[in-house]
Amino acid sequence: MEIDSAEYQLRCQLTGHEDDVRGICICDKVGFATSSRDRTIRFWSPDESNHCSFTTSKILLGHTSFVGPVAWVAPSEELPEGGLVSGGMDTLILVWNLSTGEKIQTLKGHKLQVTGIALDGSDVVSTSVDCTLRRWRKGQEVEVLEAHKAAIQAIIKLPSGELVTGSSDTTLKLWKGAACIHTFSGHTDTVRGLAAVPGLGILSASHDGTIRLWELSGQVLLEMVGHTSIVYSVDAHASGLIVSGSEDRFVKIWKDGVCVQSLEHPGCVWDAKFLDNGDIVTACSDGVVRIWTVHQDKIADPLELESYAAQLSQYTLSRKRVGGLKLEELPGLEALQTPGTSDGQTKVVREGDNGVAYAWNMMEQKWDKIGEVVDGPDDGMSRPLLDGIQYDHVFDVDIGDGEPVRKLPCNRSDNPYDVADKWLLKENLPLSYREQIVEFILQNTGQKQFTPDPSFRDPYTGSSAYTPGQPSKPVAKPTFKHVPKKGMLVFDAAQFDGILKKVSEFNNTLLSASEQKHMVLTEADMSRLASIIHVLKDTSRYHSSKFSDDDVVMVLKVLKSWPLTMLFPVIDILRMIILHADGAAVLSKHVNNANDVLMELIKKVTTSPPLPANLLTSVRALTNFFKNESYHDWLLKHRGEVLDAYSTCYLSSNKNVQLAYSTLILNYAVLLIEKKDEEGQSQVLSAALEIAEEGSVEADAKFRALVATGSLMLEGVVKRIAMDFDVANIAKAAKASKDTKIAEVGADIELITKQS
């Protein structure tokens, strides 16, 4: 079976870990190992009684905190069944003998969490949040490199022998021995995961939500955009498929840079790896290891598939709240069979995915339906609970470095320094984080004028409330699900054969009309067009294939001369040329000159009444221009004209046009935030809010408009303007949406509005 043309389905679910599964290590053909926040490593072997499943054959205990990276040591005389090397939050690296399940070495040297492990011959090479790369030989540290300017998050060894590291400084580095021979720049946030693609290059996964494929020279061959949050891991298979795991709860499978399938999980996906046969192993924050397959004889039985679908549904329900109550905790309709005790008594019950309020009608002895309940503003009447105790505030705190979000409770009357110290000790975090936690508490409880008592002494350490001159530490901050957006979205899927067929069909129509024969493409022209399509189809060679100026000139000539009704397939060709590095470079000569062909085209296709097909293809093409930095100046220069020309697209009855337009708005938001352009941000904010408020806009288009709004408010300079646009009510309406993503980004925006 061709695995790159089949749909992955659940094969089995492996339980045993008691907390988040953090890492996966494929151990040749003998099985695989998983690491967990529960401080253990489990080795999974094929289950002899069930060919679809695996069973735990070893549990390795030794780390004192959560375990992250794990590497496989091939069998040898010393290790007849092979071994494992693991790194943990406890700063230790442990070497394990799989035949006995015992640790045989403990490598101490790193000052902070160990984030990556690679084997270089018999040497162990490790990376850490302490910014160092360390080499270990026969249990001894033999080399320490200050490898990056920020925490190192991943390391791999290439088939050619070099090592590659990825860091929170947004770069990758290529190492030959102790020398860095190349630095890869391009990601806009932490580089979190790495994988080698033999014969092609390096894959990187980033907190900016993208995956990149790099040549060893540093050139980007592909950028994959589709995840809506941090991408934690990436892996490649010999079939050409790529798999990625993300904070957004999805595993995505990519082919030629296009996402061909998404696998939903009931929690964050920390890691995803291919088995040799193409099956995929995933590590989830719910503590379950899952295997996905395209092999029909290994797919889970219908009962387990149905059970998993129900599990996902239940997870979604458990996260939904109505009127401050968890939806799953509401009684069902059967609760209405019990009569009320007083006229006007209200009761909220669950109907499907909604909470609905009823009032008791004493005269008619029945429950009258009032309407659907949605989350409203905090009325100050209910106080949040944590571990069964009520507090004035319970904050989500993200301390970074891949750590899970922590709950920080406090009351208005508490001394914030006392709260911070007790919480840091409880969470086993460094006390040097104190100032940042105190600042966070003061900022989010409105206690800006708080003055610390100089006589205050920490009851645990005896130190004063403030220690000047301490080094800066990561600042605790509220966590947002979908904002700010990093990186550009593109429309990179195309039906090339259909495009060529449509152009040929239109050309034949022109041929049969005597007054239009001067527009007809010759056989040589059609052959050139077919060659262009052939180059565009072969995405794996985008780094080396070329376009001539004549190729681009011919496409532009058709766009200039053909009738409006026939333009859309040719615009689609232009849309894909933009994504080709050489094609985009050749095209730029015709865009950035006095006879700007792109502005001519925009004016032509938006002439009233515009054709939906032309609107769709041209907006998608414009959106793709954001991918290439050389067009950013043009996009900024013509922002007003572009947005005015397409300003009514969100009212189109064509859902694809709505989505394309909202994606254009989102890309503009990202670019204008980067350029700190306040005037431009204001215009894009206004357009985004128009989309968000329109009731007939489809869900994905509305979601992207809301992400643009939240990103502009959080990272831009237009928060005050947004408040004037009554963004608080827009956020409230979004939070009440039945669409989970819209509800989540609505909550993000609401949180931003409450920040001072």
Side-chain angles (χ1 to χ4, degrees):
M1 175 183 290
E2 292 290 332
I3 71 164
D4 61 356
S5 61
E7 285 269 305
Y8 278 88
Q9 294 189 63
L10 183 67
R11 172 175 165 177
C12 60
Q13 300 187 80
L14 308 177
T15 57
H17 282 300
E18 296 174 0
D19 211 332
D20 300 41
V21 187
R22 293 297 297 261
I24 300 164
C25 171
I26 307 301
C27 306
D28 290 344
K29 293 181 171 60
V30 297
F32 60 90
T34 55
S35 61
S36 171
R37 190 173 174 76
D38 67 8
R39 308 180 183 185
T40 71
I41 301 156
R42 285 177 176 258
F43 189 84
W44 305 85
S45 304
D47 188 341
E48 294 180 0
S49 63
N50 180 354
H51 78 290
C52 291
S53 191
F54 285 74
T55 185
T56 301
S57 56
K58 291 281 190 311
I59 300 176
L60 310 181
L61 300 167
H63 283 285
T64 58
S65 186
F66 82 75
V67 193
V70 182
W72 165 245
V73 183
S76 62
E77 275 188 29
E78 186 183 352
L79 302 170
E81 294 182 24
L84 294 171
V85 184
S86 60
M89 182 72 174
D90 56 10
T91 76
L92 301 178
I93 298 161
L94 303 182
V95 183
W96 305 86
N97 182 336
L98 263 185
S99 59
T100 63
E102 296 176 352
K103 64 179 178 183
I104 53 176
Q105 285 180 351
T106 300
L107 312 180
K108 296 181 181 179
H110 282 297
K111 302 294 186 287
L112 295 169
Q113 174 188 350
V114 179
T115 53
I117 292 172
L119 294 182
D120 188 10
S122 59
D123 288 357
V124 173
V125 184
S126 59
T127 59
S128 167
V129 174
D130 66 14
C131 306
T132 66
L133 182 153
R134 296 171 188 255
R135 182 178 291 272
W136 312 80
R137 187 171 296 150
K138 297 180 180 177
Q140 300 299 313
E141 186 182 275
V142 294
E143 187 174 55
V144 181
L145 300 176
E146 293 283 345
H148 283 268
K149 296 176 182 177
I152 309 175
Q153 299 288 357
I155 184 170
I156 56 167
K157 184 185 177 185
L158 300 178
S160 51
E162 297 95 338
L163 296 169
V164 183
T165 53
S167 166
S168 292
D169 65 13
T170 77
T171 69
L172 292 76
K173 288 183 182 289
L174 181 65
W175 301 86
K176 195 160 191 175
C180 174
I181 57 177
H182 193 79
T183 298
F184 303 76
S185 299
H187 280 297
T188 58
D189 207 333
T190 296
V191 177
R192 191 57 180 272
L194 297 170
V197 185
L200 201 54
I202 307 158
L203 284 165
S204 59
S206 170
H207 284 205
D208 65 16
T210 71
I211 299 146
R212 289 184 174 220
L213 174 60
W214 309 75
E215 262 193 329
L216 294 188
S217 64
Q219 182 178 349
V220 178
L221 303 181
L222 285 174
E223 185 177 24
M224 288 159 265
V225 179
H227 283 294
T228 57
S229 190
I230 293 169
V231 189
Y232 286 119
S233 65
V234 66
D235 195 28
H237 188 258
S239 64
L241 292 182
I242 291 166
V243 66
S244 56
S246 167
E247 176 77 23
D248 65 11
R249 301 193 297 109
F250 283 89
V251 162
K252 289 187 179 289
I253 298 150
W254 310 80
K255 181 173 173 57
D256 297 332
V258 176
C259 177
V260 294
Q261 193 179 354
S262 296
L263 303 172
E264 188 178 4
H265 285 65
C268 159
V269 181
W270 288 109
D271 202 1
K273 292 280 195 302
F274 282 108
L275 294 171
D276 281 351
N277 69 348
D279 284 3
I280 296 169
V281 186
T282 60
C284 185
S285 61
D286 66 350
V288 180
V289 180
R290 293 177 177 86
I291 303 181
W292 307 80
T293 188
V294 294
H295 304 282
Q296 292 297 313
D297 63 328
K298 291 187 176 177
I299 294 172
D301 62 53
L303 199 61
E304 186 167 0
L305 295 177
E306 187 177 317
S307 171
Y308 184 63
Q311 190 179 341
L312 289 176
S313 176
Q314 183 61 30
Y315 177 84
T316 304
L317 285 177
S318 71
R319 293 171 64 84
K320 184 171 180 179
R321 303 182 78 88
V322 291
L325 303 170
K326 279 191 176 182
L327 181 65
E328 65 177 354
E329 294 176 357
L330 294 178
L333 285 169
E334 67 278 1
L336 300 179
Q337 294 173 7
T338 304
T341 56
S342 61
D343 195 45
Q345 176 190 348
T346 59
K347 183 175 286 190
V348 181
V349 299
R350 186 177 69 251
E351 291 187 19
D353 291 349
N354 301 305
V356 180
Y358 286 82
W360 179 247
N361 184 327
M362 185 67 83
M363 183 176 293
E364 299 183 22
Q365 288 289 296
K366 70 182 183 70
W367 290 98
D368 290 333
K369 187 172 184 177
I370 300 173
E372 189 175 320
V373 180
V374 297
D375 271 346
D378 183 6
D379 58 9
M381 296 300 291
S382 60
R383 301 170 70 213
L385 281 169
L386 183 64
D387 299 329
I389 302 171
Q390 280 193 327
Y391 294 92
D392 291 331
H393 305 280
V394 175
F395 298 114
D396 284 339
V397 179
D398 178 3
I399 64 169
D401 299 333
E403 278 282 83
V405 172
R406 312 290 181 92
K407 297 290 184 184
L408 168 61
C410 70
N411 294 312
R412 295 183 187 93
S413 60
D414 290 340
N415 183 308
Y417 287 96
D418 193 18
V419 171
D421 284 337
K422 288 178 179 177
W423 183 76
L424 289 169
L425 287 164
K426 175 180 177 288
E427 294 290 338
N428 195 27
L429 293 170
L431 288 172
S432 54
Y433 280 16
R434 174 199 288 135
E435 278 304 307
Q436 284 67 38
I437 298 301
V438 169
E439 288 171 18
F440 176 82
I441 294 170
L442 297 180
Q443 179 78 12
N444 288 279
T445 58
Q447 302 179 69
K448 294 183 183 176
Q449 306 306 317
F450 176 85
T451 304
D453 177 357
S455 65
F456 173 77
R457 289 291 180 272
D458 169 31
Y460 294 91
T461 65
S463 61
S464 63
Y466 173 64
T467 308
Q470 287 297 308
S472 175
K473 296 293 178 183
V475 179
K477 58 187 182 295
T479 56
F480 300 99
K481 188 75 176 176
H482 298 290
V483 299
K485 177 71 182 76
K486 302 290 186 182
M488 303 299 183
L489 297 176
V490 294
F491 292 96
D492 54 6
Q495 299 292 329
F496 289 109
D497 294 339
I499 291 170
L500 192 58
K501 183 179 178 183
K502 183 58 72 174
V503 171
S504 179
E505 179 187 311
F506 284 159
N507 199 48
N508 290 335
T509 301
L510 294 172
L511 190 60
S512 62
S514 56
E515 71 279 7
Q516 294 178 319
K517 281 189 177 178
H518 65 284
M519 304 178 191
V520 173
L521 297 176
T522 64
E523 280 190 30
D525 290 336
M526 288 302 296
S527 176
R528 181 182 288 276
L529 205 59
S531 297
I532 292 170
I533 294 289
H534 178 73
V535 171
L536 292 173
K537 282 175 74 172
D538 193 0
T539 55
S540 64
R541 300 197 181 279
Y542 270 24
H543 61 291
S544 58
S545 54
K546 302 289 182 184
F547 283 102
S548 69
D549 195 56
D550 289 343
D551 292 333
V552 173
V553 166
M554 190 196 74
V555 173
L556 297 177
K557 178 184 173 184
V558 177
L559 288 172
K560 193 168 185 176
S561 62
W562 270 23
L564 266 172
T565 54
M566 298 182 177
L567 286 185
F568 64 89
V570 191
I571 299 173
D572 242 2
I573 296 173
L574 180 73
R575 169 174 69 89
M576 299 308 293
I577 287 175
I578 298 159
L579 297 179
H580 187 287
D582 187 63
V586 175
L587 176 64
S588 68
K589 292 184 292 185
H590 302 275
V591 171
N592 296 313
N593 62 15
N595 301 313
D596 189 336
V597 294
L598 190 54
M599 275 313 303
E600 283 183 27
L601 176 65
I602 290 169
K603 290 171 184 175
K604 188 173 180 178
V605 299
T606 55
T607 302
S608 186
L611 298 172
N614 285 345
L615 283 182
L616 177 62
T617 51
S618 61
V619 177
R620 284 178 170 176
L622 273 170
T623 301
N624 284 3
F625 274 102
F626 286 86
K627 170 80 178 299
N628 195 308
E629 289 185 8
S630 64
Y631 288 98
H632 285 182
D633 287 344
W634 185 95
L635 289 161
L636 292 169
K637 177 183 176 182
H638 295 286
R639 165 186 43 81
E641 297 164 275
V642 169
L643 295 180
D644 287 345
Y646 292 102
S647 61
T648 59
C649 281
Y650 74 100
L651 297 173
S652 170
S653 58
N654 185 312
K655 304 297 186 185
N656 291 324
V657 172
Q658 293 176 11
L659 180 62
Y661 175 63
S662 67
T663 309
L664 175 71
I665 295 298
L666 180 53
N667 279 359
Y668 255 124
V670 173
L671 178 60
L672 291 161
I673 290 167
E674 179 188 325
K675 300 298 182 182
K676 297 180 170 58
D677 181 337
E678 183 171 0
E679 181 186 343
Q681 288 179 34
S682 299
Q683 185 181 11
V684 171
L685 174 70
S686 177
L689 290 173
E690 278 185 329
I691 302 169
E693 287 187 290
E694 175 57 41
S696 62
V697 171
E698 67 98 29
D700 284 342
K702 182 165 289 192
F703 170 72
R704 291 185 181 184
L706 287 164
V707 171
T709 300
S711 299
L712 286 164
M713 290 175 65
L714 184 65
E715 299 243 307
V717 290
V718 294
K719 180 178 175 182
R720 177 186 53 77
I721 298 171
M723 299 299 284
D724 291 342
F725 276 124
D726 200 18
V727 74
N729 275 332
I730 293 171
K732 178 181 174 183
K735 273 187 69 178
S737 172
K738 295 178 183 177
D739 185 285
T740 304
K741 288 193 303 183
I742 292 177
E744 288 172 345
V745 75
D748 284 349
I749 296 171
E750 185 178 78
L751 182 55
I752 296 169
T753 64
K754 292 178 179 178
Q755 288 183 311
S756 56

